[in-house]
Amino acid sequence: MSTAQISMPAEFFSQLSVNFKKMPVWAQSTINSILGMSILLFMWWIGGLLIANNPDTEAFADFAPGPALSALWALIGTEFLNDTIISSLERIIYGLFWGIVIGVPLGVLMGYFVGMRQVANMPFQFLRMISPLAWMPIAVLAYDTWDGAIVFLIVMATVWPIVFGTAHGVQRIDPNWFRVARNLGADGFQMLRRVIMPAIAQDVFAGIRLAVGVAWVVLVPAEYLGVTSGLGYAINDARDTLAYDTLAAMVVVIGVIGYLLDAVAVFLIKRYSWHAS
Amino acid sequence: MSTASPIWISDLTHYYNRKQEMPTLDDINLSIPQGQLTALIGRSGCGKSTLLQMVAGLLMPTEGAVRIRAHTVTKPSAKWNMMFQKPSLYPWMTVRENAALGLVFAGTYKQKKDRVEELLDMVGLSEHKDKNVQDLSGGQQQRVALARSLATEPEVLLLDEPFSALDAFTRTALQTEVAQICHDQNITMVLVTHDIEEAVAMADQVVIMSHNPGQIVGEKHIPLDYPRDRNSGEFITLKDELFAEFEKIDQAKQKKPFERLEVPKREVKPPVDDSLQQAS
Ligand SMILES: Nc1ncnc2c1ncn2[C@@H]1O[C@H](COP(=O)(O)OP(=O)(O)OP(=O)(O)O)[C@@H](O)[C@H]1O
Ligand SMILES: [Mg+2]
């Protein structure tokens, strides 16, 4: 009788895992994602409790999920939040735009010419390792506006992954693809449009995905300085006004938008990927 | 007109490198008959691919010239198309898109859509038109490449060992099909191979090349009807004769490995045309 009782939970879990494995893959992955988010939320909640119960930190109790999410709920749809998000996205888009305009041609040259690769590899790897924020003093000197300086920092963050992604894509081009296309009467433009661009697209987007990740991470601290709009500014402002619930809400907004930006990049990579599944 | 040679190669010599002691190709003279299949055979490294790329306009000879009809070949054209050993399909396109690419480049795909469908049916890919080319077998991929080459209605099709990467069954089937297409559609074909059986199975005439330097040392007519029976006495005799030719070359080469073989000067007189206008 006692053995039956002991095996009960074990049986329950083994039954559960059998049933789980029978589910369609999309259902499994959805359940797992919800599980992951629940764990994160739970840890945030625990953290909130610890902060609230410690006399040294109880002033920050509004960091907890309850106040933060209600602050977020109140912010959604407000002009303030919309403007904040739009300012940040604008800077990201400008930065990414210039990162692509500069990075893709450089990457093509690096991928195509061995000599260029040899010359550029060391300096580029070196520059890539410098935190984009380290350029701040130079950016401030070089640009009249804080906005210009921030876009410059984002460009410094985005070019390198785009350069290396593009170069990798170009290196993977099969030289026979050029020969065949030339043989079928392709002119230079057609070669670019039908052969080179589709051949490297997925690697360029993979570079852009990395670039978006770095740019988004760099943007917030960059917006601590000077500017009076954007998510970084909003966080700094919330700290100064002791509005910790708003501060935590902004952190959530940053995470959500970052996730969405990454999802767009992943979609583009999949859309332009030509590798056999 | 129909029996005139569309391809003339005259006094062609090629060095890849000025420092070479021996030319890669040495004084090649050859005319290739219209609507027939000519096989170019020779040992690895004798310059077959080099010669074919010059006919395709992918490479310029150091001396001499290749003419296709009245046009001196200086650049590639969809009118004289080359098929390579590897199919080199574009993996981001479907079978149909790959086959249609030459027409897309020429801007005539809209008018000639049906031709692409017919060609894919002809090469046995009716059920695979919308597939990704990476999901095809090697033989099927080479068929896509064949359809792609034929879609632009080339006058001349140059084949550089197009079947060598295929298994024996697929290879035999494609050899028969391509020889058939050559004669049915009146396309002049030049096939590079080092497979003597392939040459005898497909060609109307075989041109024999020697190496160091690359030169033409003989030519043999293959007077067999299609489809050819590879076990017939005539087929085997022709094959043996070609093997014997190569043995003769090898013996001569053993004595003097780096000297040109004494062969009678080949006379090829390209048509004197007063209208050397661009014929492409
Ligand atoms: N791009 C090149 N630069 C310098 N030498 C080359 C080049 N391509 C080929 N060669 C040399 O020219 C000679 C002829 O080469 P080619 O590729 O035409 O031979 P092939 O008859 O097609 O041989 P295979 O049957 O192996 O394909 C070889 O000795 C080769 O090493
Ligand atoms: Mg070759």
Side-chain angles (χ1 to χ4, degrees):
Chain A
M1 196 190 116
S2 64
T3 50
Q5 269 175 340
I6 289 168
S7 72
M8 269 280 277
E11 221 168 78
F12 173 75
F13 279 112
S14 77
Q15 196 59 40
L16 198 68
S17 105
V18 167
N19 283 336
F20 183 75
K21 278 179 190 144
K22 275 192 220 147
M23 286 185 192
V25 176
W26 65 265
Q28 289 185 21
S29 85
T30 311
I31 288 175
N32 282 334
S33 305
I34 291 171
L35 180 68
M37 285 313 286
S38 308
I39 292 172
L40 181 64
L41 205 60
F42 178 71
M43 288 169 67
W44 183 11
W45 179 69
I46 294 280
L49 282 186
L50 292 176
I51 289 173
N53 290 323
N54 183 335
D56 288 344
T57 56
E58 63 188 352
F60 304 109
D62 278 354
F63 272 124
L69 292 178
S70 56
L72 179 63
W73 184 249
L75 278 170
I76 286 174
T78 60
E79 205 174 316
F80 164 69
L81 185 65
N82 289 347
D83 288 351
T84 300
I85 292 173
I86 289 170
S87 310
S88 285
L89 283 181
E90 265 178 16
R91 293 182 187 117
I92 283 283
I93 287 168
Y94 279 125
L96 207 54
F97 171 79
W98 286 110
I100 292 169
V101 166
I102 299 166
V104 170
L106 273 179
V108 168
L109 291 177
M110 241 181 104
Y112 197 75
F113 299 104
V114 188
M116 288 290 269
R117 192 148 67 238
Q118 287 164 346
V119 169
N121 196 46
M122 289 255 285
F124 284 6
Q125 295 284 6
F126 173 84
L127 289 170
R128 185 170 77 98
M129 288 302 158
I130 298 169
S131 164
L133 289 170
W135 298 105
M136 187 46 112
I138 295 173
V140 171
L141 278 181
Y143 288 86
D144 296 339
T145 63
W146 285 101
D147 262 311
I150 290 176
V151 169
F152 171 79
L153 294 190
I154 301 211
V155 174
M156 290 313 280
T158 53
V159 246
W160 313 118
I162 295 174
V163 167
F164 287 109
T166 307
H168 180 246
V170 172
Q171 270 175 272
R172 279 199 320 175
I173 291 182
D174 179 346
N176 288 321
W177 289 339
F178 292 130
R179 234 177 11 162
V180 168
R182 222 151 66 82
N183 199 226
L184 288 171
D187 61 32
F189 174 74
Q190 289 169 328
M191 188 77 89
L192 187 70
R193 159 118 200 271
R194 304 272 172 195
V195 180
I196 300 175
M197 285 190 358
I200 66 173
Q202 67 174 346
D203 289 299
V204 174
F205 284 122
I208 289 177
R209 183 187 178 193
L210 292 176
V212 169
V214 187
W216 194 241
V217 168
V218 163
L219 177 73
V220 171
E223 283 176 341
Y224 286 175
L225 300 152
V227 291
T228 53
S229 63
L231 290 158
Y233 167 75
I235 284 193
N236 226 14
D237 191 51
R239 191 199 60 190
D240 292 347
T241 56
L242 311 182
Y244 295 121
D245 52 348
T246 308
L247 198 160
M250 286 301 167
V251 171
V252 173
V253 170
I254 289 168
V256 169
I257 295 177
Y259 180 84
L260 292 177
L261 288 175
D262 190 64
V264 171
V266 169
F267 169 79
L268 288 172
I269 293 171
K270 286 218 178 104
R271 166 73 184 72
Y272 288 97
S273 156
W274 43 263
H275 273 152
S277 41
Chain B
M1 175 72 191
S2 67
T3 52
S5 298
I7 307 177
W8 298 91
I9 300 168
S10 46
D11 304 326
L12 184 148
T13 295
H14 187 67
Y15 294 82
Y16 270 109
N17 188 323
R18 275 287 161 202
K19 285 178 226 134
Q20 266 173 257
E21 284 171 32
M22 194 78 68
T24 305
L25 291 170
D26 182 57
D27 196 25
I28 305 283
N29 284 283
L30 186 64
S31 71
I32 292 187
Q34 162 72 37
Q36 297 192 1
L37 202 153
T38 301
L40 215 55
I41 62 174
R43 289 203 177 279
S44 186
C46 71
K48 307 181 293 295
S49 299
T50 307
L51 185 56
L52 208 63
Q53 287 184 57
M54 283 168 184
V55 179
L58 294 169
L59 206 63
M60 289 302 290
T62 316
E63 284 165 36
V66 176
R67 281 197 225 173
I68 294 185
R69 301 208 188 285
H71 184 77
T72 302
V73 176
T74 53
K75 60 178 197 306
S77 154
K79 284 272 152 241
W80 43 93
N81 211 298
M82 179 131 165
M83 230 182 113
F84 302 95
Q85 184 170 2
K86 281 199 279 169
S88 295
L89 302 174
Y90 300 96
W92 52 88
M93 299 180 194
T94 62
V95 168
R96 181 185 283 107
E97 288 166 342
N98 266 284
L101 194 59
L103 296 177
V104 170
F105 287 156
T108 53
Y109 179 52
K110 281 218 174 77
Q111 296 104 278
K112 296 187 181 168
K113 269 192 177 127
D114 294 345
R115 179 166 174 82
V116 174
E117 305 301 316
E118 284 163 21
L119 280 168
L120 287 173
D121 293 337
M122 185 185 82
V123 297
L125 292 172
S126 307
E127 274 116 67
H128 306 287
K129 289 174 185 168
D130 293 307
K131 277 196 186 163
N132 185 300
V133 289
Q134 292 172 106
D135 297 334
L136 301 183
S137 72
Q140 288 170 328
Q141 293 190 3
Q142 200 55 288
R143 285 165 200 264
V144 178
L146 180 62
R148 176 174 68 185
S149 292
L150 294 172
T152 49
E153 298 175 76
E155 285 177 60
V156 171
L157 185 58
L158 308 164
L159 305 141
D160 193 353
E161 303 184 39
F163 313 125
S164 57
L166 304 177
D167 68 89
F169 296 110
T170 316
R171 183 165 53 227
T172 313
L174 268 173
Q175 285 168 347
T176 312
E177 279 172 41
V178 169
Q180 189 82 41
I181 290 166
C182 168
H183 298 99
D184 287 355
Q185 306 200 3
N186 190 28
I187 299 173
T188 304
M189 294 197 186
V190 184
L191 169 77
V192 158
T193 178
H194 35 214
D195 179 348
I196 288 179
E197 171 160 332
E198 180 167 286
V200 181
M202 294 179 70
D204 295 287
Q205 55 276 318
V206 177
V207 174
I208 303 162
M209 285 181 71
S210 168
H211 54 295
N212 283 324
Q215 56 179 144
I216 294 176
V217 292
E219 218 169 324
K220 192 165 190 70
H221 188 56
I222 310 286
L224 301 178
D225 291 332
Y226 298 93
R228 291 176 177 173
D229 175 5
R230 296 176 193 225
N231 297 315
S232 72
E234 294 155 294
F235 191 98
I236 293 167
T237 311
L238 282 162
K239 232 169 73 177
D240 290 345
E241 285 170 11
L242 280 171
F243 270 115
E245 292 273 352
F246 272 99
E247 250 158 53
K248 259 197 286 177
I249 297 170
D250 284 347
Q251 276 166 12
K253 279 285 170 189
Q254 257 164 16
K255 278 179 225 143
K256 302 170 181 169
F258 294 104
E259 263 174 50
R260 62 193 316 279
L261 297 177
E262 282 312 317
V263 284
K265 168 84 184 163
R266 299 167 53 82
E267 286 299 333
V268 168
K269 288 201 193 72
V272 209
D273 35 58
D274 13 33
S275 59
L276 254 183
Q277 304 316 323
Q278 305 275 303
S280 65

Short mmCIF file of all heavy atoms in Angstrom, two decimals, chain A residues 202 205 263-273:
data_model
loop_
_atom_site.label_atom_id
_atom_site.label_comp_id
_atom_site.label_asym_id
_atom_site.label_seq_id
_atom_site.Cartn_x
_atom_site.Cartn_y
_atom_site.Cartn_z
N GLN A 202 21.09 36.07 -46.92
CA GLN A 202 20.88 35.52 -45.57
C GLN A 202 22.04 35.85 -44.64
O GLN A 202 21.83 36.07 -43.46
CB GLN A 202 20.64 34.02 -45.62
CG GLN A 202 21.83 33.22 -46.07
CD GLN A 202 21.57 31.72 -45.94
OE1 GLN A 202 20.63 31.30 -45.31
NE2 GLN A 202 22.40 30.93 -46.56
N PHE A 205 21.63 39.49 -43.57
CA PHE A 205 20.61 39.62 -42.53
C PHE A 205 21.07 39.03 -41.21
O PHE A 205 20.70 39.52 -40.14
CB PHE A 205 19.29 38.99 -42.99
CG PHE A 205 18.55 39.86 -43.98
CD1 PHE A 205 18.22 39.37 -45.23
CD2 PHE A 205 18.21 41.16 -43.66
CE1 PHE A 205 17.56 40.17 -46.14
CE2 PHE A 205 17.56 41.97 -44.57
CZ PHE A 205 17.23 41.48 -45.82
N ALA A 263 12.97 39.42 -33.72
CA ALA A 263 12.05 38.53 -34.44
C ALA A 263 11.96 38.93 -35.92
O ALA A 263 11.91 38.08 -36.80
CB ALA A 263 10.68 38.55 -33.79
N VAL A 264 11.95 40.25 -36.18
CA VAL A 264 11.91 40.71 -37.57
C VAL A 264 13.16 40.22 -38.31
O VAL A 264 13.09 39.70 -39.43
CB VAL A 264 11.82 42.26 -37.65
CG1 VAL A 264 12.01 42.75 -39.07
CG2 VAL A 264 10.48 42.73 -37.09
N ALA A 265 14.32 40.37 -37.64
CA ALA A 265 15.58 39.94 -38.28
C ALA A 265 15.56 38.43 -38.53
O ALA A 265 15.97 37.98 -39.61
CB ALA A 265 16.76 40.33 -37.41
N VAL A 266 15.06 37.67 -37.57
CA VAL A 266 15.00 36.22 -37.75
C VAL A 266 14.08 35.87 -38.92
O VAL A 266 14.39 35.01 -39.75
CB VAL A 266 14.51 35.52 -36.46
CG1 VAL A 266 14.19 34.06 -36.72
CG2 VAL A 266 15.56 35.65 -35.37
N PHE A 267 12.96 36.60 -39.01
CA PHE A 267 12.05 36.36 -40.12
C PHE A 267 12.75 36.60 -41.46
O PHE A 267 12.64 35.81 -42.40
CB PHE A 267 10.82 37.27 -40.00
CG PHE A 267 9.96 37.28 -41.23
CD1 PHE A 267 9.08 36.23 -41.47
CD2 PHE A 267 10.05 38.29 -42.17
CE1 PHE A 267 8.30 36.21 -42.62
CE2 PHE A 267 9.29 38.28 -43.32
CZ PHE A 267 8.41 37.23 -43.54
N LEU A 268 13.51 37.71 -41.53
CA LEU A 268 14.20 38.03 -42.78
C LEU A 268 15.26 36.97 -43.12
O LEU A 268 15.42 36.59 -44.28
CB LEU A 268 14.85 39.41 -42.70
CG LEU A 268 13.85 40.57 -42.74
CD1 LEU A 268 14.55 41.89 -42.46
CD2 LEU A 268 13.13 40.62 -44.08
N ILE A 269 15.97 36.51 -42.09
CA ILE A 269 16.99 35.48 -42.34
C ILE A 269 16.32 34.24 -42.92
O ILE A 269 16.77 33.68 -43.92
CB ILE A 269 17.74 35.12 -41.05
CG1 ILE A 269 18.57 36.31 -40.57
CG2 ILE A 269 18.65 33.91 -41.26
CD1 ILE A 269 19.17 36.12 -39.19
N LYS A 270 15.21 33.83 -42.31
CA LYS A 270 14.50 32.64 -42.80
C LYS A 270 13.97 32.86 -44.20
O LYS A 270 14.08 32.00 -45.07
CB LYS A 270 13.33 32.31 -41.86
CG LYS A 270 13.76 31.71 -40.55
CD LYS A 270 12.77 30.62 -40.12
CE LYS A 270 13.20 29.96 -38.82
NZ LYS A 270 12.39 30.43 -37.68
N ARG A 271 13.43 34.06 -44.42
CA ARG A 271 12.82 34.36 -45.70
C ARG A 271 13.86 34.27 -46.83
O ARG A 271 13.56 33.84 -47.92
CB ARG A 271 12.20 35.76 -45.62
CG ARG A 271 11.80 36.43 -46.90
CD ARG A 271 10.57 35.81 -47.53
NE ARG A 271 10.27 36.44 -48.81
CZ ARG A 271 10.98 36.26 -49.91
NH1 ARG A 271 12.06 35.51 -49.86
NH2 ARG A 271 10.63 36.84 -51.04
N TYR A 272 15.08 34.71 -46.55
CA TYR A 272 16.10 34.76 -47.60
C TYR A 272 17.12 33.64 -47.49
O TYR A 272 18.16 33.67 -48.14
CB TYR A 272 16.80 36.12 -47.59
CG TYR A 272 15.89 37.20 -48.11
CD1 TYR A 272 15.17 38.02 -47.25
CD2 TYR A 272 15.70 37.34 -49.48
CE1 TYR A 272 14.30 38.98 -47.74
CE2 TYR A 272 14.84 38.30 -49.97
CZ TYR A 272 14.14 39.11 -49.09
OH TYR A 272 13.28 40.04 -49.59
N SER A 273 16.82 32.68 -46.65
CA SER A 273 17.76 31.57 -46.51
C SER A 273 17.54 30.57 -47.63
O SER A 273 16.41 30.27 -47.98
CB SER A 273 17.53 30.93 -45.15
OG SER A 273 17.98 29.61 -45.18
#
